[in-house]
């Protein structure tokens, strides 16, 4: 498996259908996701649990790569500045494990115990 850096503008990852669907659902962009990836700015998005992230600035959309696949497109509503978020298993959107018991995007219930970084959050649990 070849390794690509996030700064390599010629690199185009494989694209999941989920990412294509979110591209059309979450952005008003009039260009294909492949073209958007190539002109998007590489960014660091530690909360997104991804290997590469790019910001498509015209629509403020984050394009996220994990396991060599462009997996999802998220609206960048301040996510680049946030840490400690977890990914929803259902829709790959970001969830705040402290305040959200359900995914704000798809409504999927989140696990009562979640670990992000070095912190474990237990909803409805006792002091330990």
């Amino acid at each position: 498996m070849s390794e690509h850096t996030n700064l390599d503008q010629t690199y185009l990852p494989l694209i999941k259908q989920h990412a294509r669907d979110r591209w059309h659902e979450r952005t008003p962009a009039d260009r294909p996701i492949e073209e958007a990836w190539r002109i998007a700015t590489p960014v660091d998005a530690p909360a997104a649990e991804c290997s590469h992230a790019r910001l498509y600035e015209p629509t403020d959309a984050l394009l996220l790569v994990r396991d060599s696949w462009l997996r999802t497109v998220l609206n960048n509503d301040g996510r680049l500045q946030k840490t400690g978020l977890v990914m929803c298993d259902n829709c790959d959107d970001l969830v705040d494990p402290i305040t959200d018991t359900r995914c704000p995007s798809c409504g999927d219930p989140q696990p009562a115990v979640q670990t992000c970084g070095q912190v474990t959050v237990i909803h409805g649990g006792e002091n330990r």
Side-chain angles (χ1 to χ4, degrees), residues 9 35-42 54-57 61 63:
Q9 290 299 104
E35 187 179 333
W37 172 264
R38 286 191 175 102
I39 62 174
T41 304
R54 292 193 182 183
L55 178 64
Y56 181 67
E57 294 181 38
L63 304 147

Side-chain angles (χ1 to χ4, degrees), residues 8-87:
D8 181 359
Q9 290 299 104
T10 62
Y11 166 63
L12 178 66
L14 299 170
I15 303 171
K16 291 271 189 183
Q17 186 61 45
H18 177 84
R20 292 182 188 282
D21 294 344
R22 298 302 81 77
W23 176 250
H24 294 294
E25 175 186 297
R26 295 178 175 164
T27 69
D30 59 352
R31 65 182 65 217
I33 192 171
E34 296 85 354
E35 187 179 333
W37 172 264
R38 286 191 175 102
I39 62 174
T41 304
V43 294
D44 185 28
E49 298 176 15
C50 62
S51 54
H52 304 306
R54 292 193 182 183
L55 178 64
Y56 181 67
E57 294 181 38
T59 61
D60 208 22
L62 283 174
L63 304 147
L64 303 178
V65 172
R66 234 184 314 138
D67 302 325
S68 301
W69 286 87
L70 177 53
R71 293 202 177 253
T72 196
V73 176
L74 301 175
N75 295 318
N76 178 35
D77 50 2
R79 295 167 197 270
L80 292 178
Q81 292 77 37
K82 294 181 181 177
T83 58
L85 301 179
V86 295
M87 300 287 285

Side-chain angles (χ1 to χ4, degrees), residues 90-128:
N90 186 49
C91 74
D92 280 340
D93 206 346
L94 296 176
V95 178
D96 185 333
I98 295 173
T99 60
D100 297 329
T101 57
R102 294 189 166 273
C103 174
S105 293
C106 71
D108 198 46
Q110 297 301 296
V113 177
Q114 296 190 55
T115 301
C116 54
Q118 300 281 334
V119 177
T120 298
V121 176
I122 303 172
H123 285 280
E126 302 172 8
N127 290 340
R128 294 182 186 211

